[in-house]
């Protein structure tokens, strides 16, 4: 594709162009480290870096076109310089045009909300696959192309260029449906601006990412961009959790004539439960839908997963999926990595690993576990370093109030000293239950498991599927699930870590 063709197809009107408009472009990047010979380099401006500073590196690696907001020094390889008013705002358009707008060849389901996106995406992928459709997945845990080419996900929603490339790969591999988690960051940064969504799903909205968004209203408005794209009544569908106080806002966005399917616990919802049975090992739900009742037996635990099941059922109803495919798809998902995931080494108590890292998610998680009737709840929780500090005392209060034993620890401390984290979790929140602080997460997890007795539930919250701790700028391997298994199999390892379990007053 030539530079002229790309600018025309992307509908980008530059302030100026110097050089060869017929130069052939072989790729697009905004990270100079990924540039190859023949590529276009777009000088995007991030929170901590400015792409204009990396033009020499991009040129050295063979960039033939530079897109910038100001004059830059270029090397011999560069054949053209395009000046625009805002590089960030046109990146999606350039990427969409270069890769042929692949989302237009897919049925794209976008899921937004604070909690529940990942589990809902897994359920929906399974439903579509039960319908015989090749389905790709883009989300927090991984990116996959109808079950193949699975890779870890560095971000819930990829950057604009990689997102278009990933969808183009899906189309090339004859994928028919893409189920996608849509983060507030991605929406605010217009990474999804060139994605042609068919279904928009809203799970819930609670406090999160206040380190990025100015306030809760801007957070909500970012999420709302997905629903604002629902404008075609013949093709688009909205699926909304009507129990959330923000439901009306999301329903109102876009074209009011676009069909809406609501879900929730109350009878006023289009999709709602008639009966719920919860245990620490299984969830059974009788669901009423506009097309009849369905019975679902799921390995996903807890009331919050009932909401995720209802969301998936609602999408199935919205796209006219057969009821038997909806049920089969949901029941085939035994677990989702790091989402109320049971670690079972035949111990006489439950060990649960979960990604809950917001006040609302932690509260729901502990309520879910309590509803299953454990003798005690032993909770390990931490909050990310260099992130929203305001939620730390809130989460501490929730954990202490809803657990018999609570252990505060680190969770990606980054540049902060984990030994000083305990000051962030105070002031006084103690309610007579046991509270401990361990700066090393590995020690905290092992201690919690060592405390477990018959009938207890040990809850390790915050990291879920993640397999690392960010300490300083370095990612160090850490997997809560592996640590739990190691502790269950070798509790004596605690002693080697300097903890005398016989002296800790957890009884």
């Amino acid at each position: 594709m030539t530079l002229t063709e790309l600018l025309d197809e992307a509908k980008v009107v530059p302030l100026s162009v110097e050089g060869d408009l017929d130069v052939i472009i072989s790729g697009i990047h905004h990270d100079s480290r990924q540039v190859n010979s023949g590529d276009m380099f777009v000088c995007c401006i991030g929170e901590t870096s400015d792409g204009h500073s990396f033009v020499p590196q991009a040129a050295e690696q063979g960039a033939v076109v530079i897109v910038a907001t100001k004059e830059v020094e270029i090397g011999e390889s560069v054949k053209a310089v395009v000046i625009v008013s805002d590089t960030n705002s046109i990146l999606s358009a350039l990427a969409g045009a270069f890769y042929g707008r692949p989302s237009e060849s897919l049925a794209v389901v976008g899921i937004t909300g604070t909690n529940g996106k990942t589990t809902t995406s897994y359920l929906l992928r399974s439903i579509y696959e039960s319908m015989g459709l090749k389905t790709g997945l883009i989300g927090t845990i991984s990116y996959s192309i109808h079950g193949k080419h699975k890779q870890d996900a560095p971000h819930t929603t990829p950057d604009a260029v990689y997102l278009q490339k990933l969808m183009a790969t899906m189309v090339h591999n004859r994928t028919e449906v893409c189920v996608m988690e849509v983060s507030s960051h991605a929406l605010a940064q217009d990474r999804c601006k060139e994605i042609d969504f068919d279904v928009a799903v809203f799970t819930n909205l609670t406090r999160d990412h206040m380190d990025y968004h100015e306030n809760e209203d801007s957070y909500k408005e970012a999420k709302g961009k997905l629903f604002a794209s629902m404008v075609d009544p013949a093709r688009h569908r909205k699926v909304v959790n009507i129990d959330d106080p923000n439901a009306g806002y999301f329903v109102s966005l876009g074209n009011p004539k676009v069909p809406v399917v609501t879900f929730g616990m109350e009878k006023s919802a289009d999709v709602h439960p008639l009966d719920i049975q919860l245990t620490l090992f299984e969830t059974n739900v009788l669901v009423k839908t506009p097309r009849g009742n369905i019975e679902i037996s799921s390995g996903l635990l807890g009331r919050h997963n009932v909401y995720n099941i209802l969301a998936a059922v609602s999408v199935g109803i919205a796209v006219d999926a057969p009821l038997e495919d909806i049920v089969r798809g949901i029941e085939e998902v035994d677990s989702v990595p790091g989402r109320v995931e049971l670690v079972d080494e035949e111990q006489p108590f439950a060990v649960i690993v979960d990604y809950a890292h917001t006040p609302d998610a932690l509260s729901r998680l502990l309520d879910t576990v309590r509803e299953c009737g454990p003798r005690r709840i032993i909770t390990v929780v931490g909050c990310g370093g260099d992130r929203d500090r305001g939620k730390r005392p809130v989460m501490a209060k929730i954990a202490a109030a809803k657990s018999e034993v609570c252990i505060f620890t680190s969770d990606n401390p980054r540049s902060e000293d984990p030994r000083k984290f305990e000051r962030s979790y105070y002031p006084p929140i103690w309610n007579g239950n046991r509270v401990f602080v361990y700066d090393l997460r590995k020690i905290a997890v092992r201690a919690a498991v060592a405390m477990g007795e018959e009938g207890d539930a040990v809850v390790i919250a915050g990291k879920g599927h993640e397999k690392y701790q960010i300490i300083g700028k370095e990612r160090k391997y850490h997997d809560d699930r592996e640590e739990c298994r190691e502790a269950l199999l070798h509790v004596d390892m605690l002693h080697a870590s300097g903890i005398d379990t016989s002296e800790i007053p957890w009884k």
Side-chain angles (χ1 to χ4, degrees), residues 280-281 342-351 373-376 378 449-458 487-489 491:
L280 272 174
F281 305 99
L342 284 170
V343 178
D344 185 10
E345 295 292 339
E346 299 183 356
Q347 73 277 6
F349 55 91
V351 176
R375 188 178 71 91
R376 295 185 307 170
I378 301 168
V449 170
M451 295 179 192
E453 296 178 351
E454 185 172 355
D456 289 344
V458 176
L488 287 167
L489 293 172
V491 174

Side-chain angles (χ1 to χ4, degrees), residues 206-224:
T206 59
R207 179 190 176 107
D208 199 14
H209 301 305
M210 289 301 104
D211 56 299
Y212 178 82
H213 299 284
E214 293 180 2
N215 50 52
E216 293 186 22
D217 283 340
S218 66
Y219 178 49
K220 180 173 72 174
E221 289 166 5
K223 296 282 190 186

Side-chain angles (χ1 to χ4, degrees), residues 44 76 84 86 109 136 169-170 192-193 247 270 278-279 284 288 335 356-357 374 440 482 489:
C44 291
E76 293 182 3
V84 297
D86 185 349
V109 181
T169 304
M170 289 183 184
C192 305
K193 195 173 183 179
D270 298 321
L278 304 174
T279 73
N284 294 294
K288 182 176 179 61
S335 65
H357 61 285
L440 295 179
E482 287 187 10
L489 293 172

Side-chain angles (χ1 to χ4, degrees), residues 27 152 161 218 317 378 481 497:
D152 291 341
V161 176
S218 66
I317 296 298
I378 301 168
R481 296 161 296 182
S497 300

Side-chain angles (χ1 to χ4, degrees), residues 425-450:
Y425 298 127
Y426 297 165
I429 55 176
W430 321 136
N431 57 359
N433 294 340
R434 298 289 190 266
V435 176
F436 303 92
V437 178
Y438 294 121
D439 58 309
L440 295 179
R441 188 175 183 89
K442 177 180 290 190
I443 302 298
V445 171
R446 292 179 180 181
V449 170

